Amino acid sequence: MINCNDDRGVLKGNWSGDYIGGVSPTHWDGSVDILRKWNKYFCHPVKYGQCWVFAGVMCTVLRCLGIPCRPVTNFKSAHDTHGNLIIDKYYSDHGVQPKTSEDSVWNYHVWVEAWMRRPDLPGESVYDGWQVLDPTPQELSDGVHCCGPAPVKAVHEGHTDLKYDLPFVFAEVNADMVLWKILEDGSEKRFWSDTESVGQNISTKSVGSDERLDITDNYKYPEGTEKEREVYKEAVKRTDQLRESERGPALPPPEVSIKIEESSKPMNGKVIDLVIRLHTAHAEPLHLSLNINAQVMLYNGVVESHIWSEEKQVKLLSDKELKVPFQIPFSEYGSHIQGNNSIKVTAIAKDKENSEQMYLAEKNIVPENPPFYITVTGDSVLNSNLQADITFHNPLSVALKDCTITVSGSGLLKKPLEARLASLDPGQNVLVLVPFTPYKKGQRKLIADFDCDQFKDIKTSCEINVKKSSGVEDTM
């Protein structure tokens, strides 16, 4: 009922980038407005949601029903369409992705864990506890767009033959990637297998604070260990769908180590400084052609546009690390990096004396947003007047147009408040003062959202502990 694909559910998903007739998924600040809209308009789906919105609404609904739950974010999350626990990715000689694969790796994906018993499964409560529930409409499960409950303990041990949707959830956190080179004649050649990249920094919010809690160990054994490979083989065995021919023979380790690193923290509005590090133990020097590309990616792994490329010729000496610096100007990426887009930088090194040899490095770049702050002045007492001071700095050399600051907070504001500014000059700060009166006591969060023609839905927030004044009752 959280997604509307099979019924009169709450949210309609949209990954197109065109949100006419609704609200961009990045703009939502909480579940309350979404659920109220759905109820007000007679259960017509609210537009629009993506994974974190679906998960946030589901978490609210489950908690209202008395089911303990928490949102979970999985970085480098695989979407396995074939059920074979393998993600296929395709590249040209220049490092771009010319072929759209049915499989994908999302920059991140968000679902919900709910705490419940599993008397429907064998094992005398072995699988009780956290269960994966994913309301984002991705694949059909018995003809319906739903996913789970899948026991986290079953995912951890590779028990993919249990209910529900275990192969799909297991692949999200622990699929293997196989990379293919598209040759000039259109044929495909496997050039790399990656057993460790999928499923990184699986996280949830800590209890009692906004600190990140890493729960990767709940889902899998440490990458690179024998136990993790044993579990993967057990998962493959239980799915009974993976043929050894799909994987192919093991590839020898690459002669060249290549990786991309940030020279400094990327800032939205500034040039992005990166460096490629190359190393080889090959006895003879290698003459390499280095193709570097930058593509704007939607968070679900879909390429939106190609924005920048460069080719360099380098000589790599044995046991000597080579650093190749490069920059991506804001003028190349600025208009493309709105919302939740990221920049995927790909570097492919080709041996000029052996065209069959190519080496790949990738990195997702997410530039930090400009400074945006919110502070509250006044005594945080129930039904007393407070003021939020909200500041934003324009770091660009051009004016920002159509600026909007939206402020919301459960128990603090009855409905979101909006302040509009026609433009904000280069280097200028804006200060917005928002008066409000808390109407519920306890720990509350005030959230502000900044939106303009150059930046979309930048968030900031502050905690407010609203205390009850003597002789005053809550307004429910």
Side-chain angles (χ1 to χ4, degrees), residues 31-104:
S31 303
V32 174
D33 284 347
I34 294 171
L35 291 166
R36 282 177 174 166
K37 283 179 183 289
W38 181 67
N39 181 61
K40 180 179 178 180
Y41 295 106
F42 309 103
C43 300
H44 287 287
V46 178
K47 301 175 181 179
Y48 292 102
Q50 291 178 6
C51 69
W52 66 93
V53 187
F54 286 107
V57 173
M58 187 176 206
C59 187
T60 297
V61 171
L62 289 179
R63 287 177 177 177
C64 287
L65 296 173
I67 300 174
C69 61
R70 59 187 186 181
V72 170
T73 303
N74 176 39
F75 294 89
K76 299 205 74 172
S77 184
H79 183 136
D80 176 20
T81 58
H82 299 109
N84 61 3
L85 310 188
I86 289 179
I87 304 298
D88 294 304
K89 298 180 71 176
Y90 301 88
Y91 295 86
S92 70
D93 279 347
H94 298 288
V96 297
Q97 298 182 11
K99 177 177 177 179
T100 301
S101 172
E102 294 179 348
D103 295 332
S104 59

Side-chain angles (χ1 to χ4, degrees), residues 320-360:
K320 298 284 187 181
E321 185 181 65
L322 177 64
K323 298 179 182 179
V324 182
F326 63 100
Q327 294 183 326
I328 305 175
F330 177 72
S331 59
E332 299 288 345
Y333 74 83
S335 61
H336 301 276
I337 196 69
Q338 298 184 353
N340 58 339
N341 295 351
S342 65
I343 302 171
K344 181 179 285 295
V345 180
T346 304
I348 282 189
K350 293 184 293 183
D351 191 332
K352 298 176 71 173
E353 298 177 4
N354 182 1
S355 60
E356 294 295 309
Q357 293 295 328
M358 59 186 287
Y359 312 97
L360 171 75

Side-chain angles (χ1 to χ4, degrees), residues 265-286:
K265 185 63 181 176
M267 298 294 295
N268 203 343
K270 307 292 185 182
V271 66
I272 296 175
D273 287 302
L274 302 167
V275 62
I276 298 173
R277 295 177 179 268
L278 301 115
H279 182 271
T280 185
H282 194 274
E284 300 297 325
L286 295 176

Side-chain angles (χ1 to χ4, degrees), residues 248-274:
L251 294 172
E255 290 187 330
V256 174
S257 165
I258 176 173
K259 59 183 178 180
I260 302 169
E261 294 181 352
E262 299 168 350
S263 299
S264 58
K265 185 63 181 176
M267 298 294 295
N268 203 343
K270 307 292 185 182
V271 66
I272 296 175
D273 287 302
L274 302 167

Side-chain angles (χ1 to χ4, degrees), residues 289-424:
S289 176
L290 192 60
N291 288 283
I292 315 168
N293 289 275
Q295 297 170 292
V296 171
M297 305 289 291
L298 303 181
Y299 86 99
N300 61 353
V302 175
V303 176
E304 184 181 63
S305 60
H306 178 79
I307 58 171
W308 177 88
S309 62
E310 188 173 322
E311 184 174 351
K312 296 176 180 286
Q313 310 300 318
V314 299
K315 181 180 180 180
L316 184 60
L317 302 178
S318 178
D319 281 331
K320 298 284 187 181
E321 185 181 65
L322 177 64
K323 298 179 182 179
V324 182
F326 63 100
Q327 294 183 326
I328 305 175
F330 177 72
S331 59
E332 299 288 345
Y333 74 83
S335 61
H336 301 276
I337 196 69
Q338 298 184 353
N340 58 339
N341 295 351
S342 65
I343 302 171
K344 181 179 285 295
V345 180
T346 304
I348 282 189
K350 293 184 293 183
D351 191 332
K352 298 176 71 173
E353 298 177 4
N354 182 1
S355 60
E356 294 295 309
Q357 293 295 328
M358 59 186 287
Y359 312 97
L360 171 75
E362 287 185 334
K363 189 170 185 64
N364 289 325
I365 306 296
V366 183
E368 279 193 0
N369 285 317
F372 187 33
Y373 303 107
I374 182 171
T375 57
V376 172
T377 56
D379 193 10
S380 303
V381 175
L382 190 68
N383 297 319
S384 296
N385 295 331
L386 298 176
Q387 178 178 282
D389 299 354
I390 304 167
T391 58
F392 181 83
H393 172 72
N394 178 9
L396 303 187
S397 58
V398 298
L400 303 180
K401 299 178 181 179
D402 302 322
C403 303
T404 303
I405 292 178
T406 306
V407 186
S408 62
S410 176
L412 302 173
L413 297 166
K414 294 285 187 179
K415 61 180 180 179
L417 299 179
E418 190 176 273
R420 292 184 175 274
L421 185 67
S423 65
L424 185 61

Side-chain angles (χ1 to χ4, degrees), residues 91-143:
Y91 295 86
S92 70
D93 279 347
H94 298 288
V96 297
Q97 298 182 11
K99 177 177 177 179
T100 301
S101 172
E102 294 179 348
D103 295 332
S104 59
V105 177
W106 297 29
N107 290 355
Y108 60 89
H109 182 49
V110 187
W111 56 74
V112 173
E113 285 182 355
W115 186 274
M116 62 180 74
R117 294 185 59 238
R118 291 302 303 270
D120 58 320
L121 297 179
E124 296 183 355
S125 304
V126 169
Y127 302 108
D128 291 352
W130 290 120
Q131 314 288 321
V132 171
L133 299 163
D134 191 348
T136 301
Q138 297 183 88
E139 301 291 330
L140 290 173
S141 175
D142 292 331

